[in-house]
């Protein structure tokens, strides 16, 4: 969808290890978002970016950091993964502030053991 | 803060029948958008239909239509002539309108099963 690639698609890691998830887009969209999806919670916003080096926190940002050094890449880092961060992570993009639609990546299944 | 509530965790419908999924939301804003997303087992998020709050006419996309009741803050999705491929999780979502950061606020989802 809209040239969004999330990597890795699946990852298993151990508690306490750092993890970085990558979102890459080829559409030159200005806005990028990280959501997590958990049963019974729907999708919740972690962080978002409104331009290169411009980021802000979402609803569930504790334990996560992000970086956007290039328009096409938005990285999500778990500094020290915990079991509560086991989830499916979705990246989404939006062309500009007036665009209605968000475009979603295929998600990353992260398991923290 | 805006909230979105989907009160039906699971729904079931017979193939070829009609089903309605409920969604209510809370906001103090007058300019916003509402969406229904479908998530099949493939995990892909697929936009089904969207509604601008300033439009009184209910949105329709083929077999999918909404009943938008702005005063009641209700946004239900009707699926007509249900097909096996309609089986999925359905999420209702809200976004502030105008030139905003565009964050979507999602409901918890409704899992729809379609019986042959």
């Amino acid at each position: 969808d809209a040239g969004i690639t999330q990597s890795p698609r699946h990852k298993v890691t151990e508690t306490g290890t750092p993890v970085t998830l990558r979102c890459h887009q080829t559409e030159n969209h200005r806005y990028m978002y990280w959501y997590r999806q958990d049963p019974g919670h729907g999708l919740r916003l972690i962080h978002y970016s409104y331009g290169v080096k411009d980021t802000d926190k979402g609803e569930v940002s504790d334990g996560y950091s992000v970086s956007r050094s290039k328009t096409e890449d938005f990285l999500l880092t778990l500094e020290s993964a915990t079991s509560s961060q086991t989830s499916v992570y979705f990246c989404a993009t939006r062309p500009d502030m007036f665009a209605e639609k968000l475009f979603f990546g295929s998600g990353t299944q992260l398991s923290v053991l | 803060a805006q909230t979105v509530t989907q009160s039906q965790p699971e729904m079931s419908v017979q193939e070829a029948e009609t089903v309605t999924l409920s969604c209510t939301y809370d906001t103090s804003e007058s300019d916003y958008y509402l969406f229904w997303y479908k998530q099949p087992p493939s995990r892909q998020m697929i936009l089904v239909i969207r509604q601008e709050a300033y439009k009184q006419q209910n949105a329709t996309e083929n077999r999918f239509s909404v009943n938008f009741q702005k005063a009641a803050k209700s946004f239900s999705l009707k699926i007509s002539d249900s097909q096996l491929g309609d089986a999925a999780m359905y999420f209702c979502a809200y976004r502030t309108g105008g030139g905003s950061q565009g964050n979507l606020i999602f409901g918890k989802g409704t899992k729809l099963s379609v019986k042959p």
Side-chain angles (χ1 to χ4, degrees):
Chain A
D1 198 351
I4 301 171
T5 304
Q6 289 187 234
S7 58
R9 182 131 171 101
H10 304 273
K11 185 171 181 65
V12 180
T13 191
E14 294 184 350
T15 299
T17 60
V19 176
T20 295
L21 307 182
R22 181 183 184 229
C23 178
H24 178 78
Q25 55 122 341
T26 59
E27 302 294 323
N28 200 35
H29 288 180
R30 177 182 174 189
Y31 290 86
M32 298 185 76
Y33 308 84
W34 277 109
Y35 288 88
R36 62 176 288 176
Q37 181 180 8
D38 305 288
H41 289 278
L43 281 77
R44 293 178 291 174
L45 183 67
I46 305 171
H47 282 279
Y48 66 97
S49 170
Y50 46 97
V52 173
K53 298 184 179 179
D54 292 323
T55 65
D56 205 349
K57 295 179 180 180
E59 177 189 0
V60 290
S61 60
D62 287 348
Y64 301 94
S65 62
V66 290
S67 65
R68 192 170 178 200
S69 59
K70 301 183 289 185
T71 298
E72 56 266 36
D73 288 326
F74 193 32
L75 303 180
L76 177 70
T77 297
L78 291 65
E79 302 290 347
S80 178
T82 67
S83 58
S84 65
Q85 293 176 312
T86 292
S87 186
V88 178
Y89 291 85
F90 283 95
C91 174
T93 70
R94 191 163 76 109
D96 54 58
M97 67 189 311
F98 297 106
E100 293 180 15
K101 184 180 177 181
L102 264 67
F103 298 85
F104 283 86
S106 300
T108 294
Q109 172 68 61
L110 176 67
S111 298
V112 183
L113 305 179
Chain B
Q2 297 86 9
T3 58
V4 177
T5 301
Q6 293 179 249
S7 58
Q8 306 153 316
E10 296 187 18
M11 291 282 286
S12 181
V13 63
Q14 204 73 31
E15 194 176 7
E17 296 295 309
T18 296
V19 64
T20 298
L21 308 184
S22 300
C23 173
T24 59
Y25 59 95
D26 189 26
T27 184
S28 58
E29 299 171 337
S30 58
D31 184 16
Y32 52 88
Y33 296 89
L34 296 164
F35 305 84
W36 278 99
Y37 278 87
K38 171 185 177 181
Q39 187 182 46
S42 67
R43 218 165 59 192
Q44 190 67 34
M45 293 291 288
I46 302 167
L47 178 63
V48 174
I49 199 166
R50 58 177 173 252
Q51 174 82 42
E52 294 91 338
Y54 63 86
K55 289 187 177 179
Q56 293 187 344
Q57 186 173 4
N58 290 325
T60 299
E61 290 288 342
N62 300 314
R63 297 183 294 108
F64 299 86
S65 62
V66 298
N67 183 5
F68 174 47
Q69 301 290 327
K70 190 171 183 178
K73 296 180 182 176
S74 172
F75 183 61
S76 60
L77 174 70
K78 186 172 80 171
I79 306 174
S80 304
D81 185 25
S82 296
Q83 301 175 0
L84 295 177
D86 294 333
M89 282 291 290
Y90 286 83
F91 293 99
C92 179
Y94 168 101
R95 179 171 80 76
T96 300
S100 72
Q101 304 293 8
N103 306 333
L104 284 177
I105 299 170
F106 287 87
K108 295 181 179 181
T110 296
K111 183 177 182 180
L112 178 66
S113 301
V114 180
K115 298 178 180 178

